[in-house]
Amino acid sequence: MTTHKISRFHRAALALVLPVAVIAAVAGCDDSAAPTAAPAASSAAAVPSASTSAAPAAGLHMIANNGHQLAFHVTPGSSPTIVLDAGGGEDSSYWDALVPQLSQATGSQIITYDRAGLGASEEVKGPWDPKAAASDLQAGLRELGVTQNVVLAGHSQAGEVAHYFVVANPGVVSGAVLIDANVPQFFTDTQTQRLVSLTSPQIEELKKAPSTKANRQLIATADNFGPTHQAYHKVSWPNGVPVIYVVSDKTPFDGSPQDAQAWRDAAAAFTKAGPDRTLVIAEGSSHDVPQDKPALVLKEIEQMTATVK
């Protein structure tokens, strides 16, 4: 087994697309460390979904979109529906500790899901495509009968999914909480080229390693990274959708002052770019805000949910 050494700074750059824990597992070529399927919200077996006005049943729903199956998990409740979307390399189990707390605090229906290639969802060949990921989320919510009054909460890479989803589905999302999320303002040509340059040697080494689910996801995100994020840089969040942006104190680039400041500047620019946008700093937190500061994340999602009711 070959071990690929990734420096602390390169890990910081890669943290935009996959969390450090997954990168470490990939570096050791250990497929056992790949994300596992999240438990269903109840002990019921997976149920086929059908479009209906009735509330979806609790538990796991396998939903098809563009030839692949996606795992969606439902915790019953009232409107608005809270949709939680994890960062790169993380599946729906990332939210396991937060879901029951959110359910109790808000009474809302809560939906988590596994993006393609993660958890119980099937892999899709080719480069990471945030537009396709947004289409998967759209298909799942429609099949579950969720077509309006959504509070969308996304961490890290899920910020890209959130942007494309909100733009493509006007009127569905009533408010959002973006948690140290990738925003278009960060991905200038200079910053995108810098990230590609920093991570390319590690990605080339990973391509030579034994194929695992974890490294396939990392490679897919790196493939076409430049053009994908040059296009994302031009996307604008709709002014009619209020958003709370929670930026981590340490950013994904702890140890690289230049990149950390660029991240903070992008967060500030995003929140100043339109009305009804609030910037919240997660004091003392790493990029992994939902794990470091769960009470803060709970508070901000609860606040947005109360606002749109």
Side-chain angles (χ1 to χ4, degrees):
M1 179 183 295
T2 302
T3 299
H4 306 286
K5 294 182 179 179
I6 301 178
S7 71
R8 180 182 180 186
F9 183 69
H10 288 103
R11 286 171 184 260
L14 288 167
L16 278 176
V17 294
L18 286 182
V20 172
V22 175
I23 296 166
V26 171
C29 305
D30 181 6
D31 200 27
S32 66
T36 57
S42 74
S43 58
V47 294
S49 295
S51 296
T52 175
S53 58
L60 171 63
H61 296 249
M62 296 303 298
I63 294 171
N65 187 47
N66 293 330
H68 57 275
Q69 293 284 324
L70 298 149
F72 281 74
H73 305 273
V74 176
T75 299
S78 59
S79 182
T81 295
I82 300 171
V83 176
L84 302 176
D85 198 356
E90 298 285 0
D91 61 29
S92 54
S93 64
Y94 184 78
W95 304 106
D96 279 357
L98 190 62
V99 167
Q101 297 178 58
L102 266 177
S103 179
Q104 182 176 11
T106 66
S108 287
Q109 174 174 255
I110 300 172
I111 294 175
T112 61
Y113 77 110
D114 302 332
R115 289 201 297 275
L118 300 171
S121 293
E122 294 178 346
E123 293 185 63
V124 175
K125 292 183 179 180
W128 155 251
D129 182 353
K131 288 184 179 179
S135 172
D136 285 343
L137 178 57
Q138 178 188 56
L141 294 185
R142 283 184 176 177
E143 191 72 8
L144 294 171
V146 179
T147 58
Q148 62 182 350
N149 209 18
V150 166
V151 171
L152 180 58
H155 174 238
S156 193
Q157 189 185 45
E160 299 176 36
V161 182
H163 272 74
Y164 283 110
F165 181 87
V166 171
V167 169
N169 297 275
V172 174
V173 176
S174 298
V177 179
L178 300 180
I179 309 158
D180 223 31
N182 297 8
V183 291
Q185 286 79 356
F186 179 75
F187 294 95
T188 62
D189 286 347
T190 299
Q191 192 67 47
T192 297
Q193 291 167 8
R194 177 173 167 79
L195 290 173
V196 170
S197 176
L198 287 169
T199 59
S200 289
Q202 286 70 36
I203 295 299
E204 289 306 311
E205 287 300 309
L206 289 174
K207 288 179 178 179
K208 300 173 186 177
S211 181
T212 69
K213 190 173 184 180
N215 77 12
R216 286 193 297 272
Q217 290 302 306
L218 178 54
I219 291 168
T221 304
D223 284 348
N224 211 38
F225 186 92
T228 296
H229 290 83
Q230 287 169 347
Y232 181 52
H233 184 59
K234 300 175 183 177
V235 177
S236 296
W237 186 267
N239 284 339
V241 182
V243 58
I244 297 171
Y245 187 94
V246 181
V247 65
S248 66
D249 190 11
K250 297 179 181 179
T251 83
F253 299 100
D254 189 24
S256 173
Q258 173 186 344
D259 296 285
Q261 190 59 53
W263 186 262
R264 296 186 189 100
D265 290 345
F270 170 77
T271 54
K272 291 178 181 177
D276 298 319
R277 303 186 191 185
T278 303
L279 182 64
V280 175
I281 299 174
E283 299 286 352
S285 178
S286 72
H287 179 57
D288 200 19
V289 182
Q291 302 298 313
D292 290 353
K293 301 288 183 178
L296 175 63
V297 172
L298 175 65
K299 173 188 173 184
E300 300 305 335
I301 296 176
E302 185 178 359
Q303 178 177 322
M304 182 57 73
T305 302
T307 299
V308 305
K309 273 188 176 179

